[in-house]
Amino acid sequence: MISSEMLGFLRDLAANNNKEWFHAHKARYQLVRKEFEQYIAYLIAEIASFDDSIKNLQPKDCVFRIN
């Protein structure tokens, strides 16, 4: 669920935490964010199986902007 690409992006971001780098790698970020949102949707569904209070949440309700 959490891929090596996602972890690699986060490692690269930690080493290059600036606006210029982020904008140069925005396409990569968008792919990783989509993958992350799919993972969050999976987690919501799994948790909702025993906690009805989150069944109506969407990944966008749980994810904040990275910059």
Side-chain angles (χ1 to χ4, degrees):
M1 295 303 230
I2 295 180
S3 70
S4 59
E5 178 61 29
M6 189 184 310
L7 293 175
F9 175 80
L10 292 173
R11 271 191 295 274
D12 292 346
L13 177 61
N16 301 284
N17 194 8
N18 62 70
K19 185 176 181 177
E20 293 78 20
W21 183 90
F22 185 80
H23 285 292
H25 295 87
K26 192 165 186 172
R28 184 177 170 205
Y29 163 71
Q30 289 170 333
L31 291 173
V32 170
R33 181 179 172 107
K34 184 176 181 178
E35 180 182 333
F36 183 69
E37 287 175 349
Q38 291 171 346
Y39 180 60
I40 296 301
Y42 165 78
L43 290 177
I44 291 169
E46 291 296 309
I47 295 169
S49 71
F50 60 84
D51 183 352
D52 286 339
S53 70
I54 71 160
K55 67 181 179 182
N56 295 320
L57 284 178
Q58 299 297 314
K60 67 180 182 173
D61 300 327
C62 306
V63 177
F64 296 97
R65 286 178 37 174
I66 199 165
N67 58 348

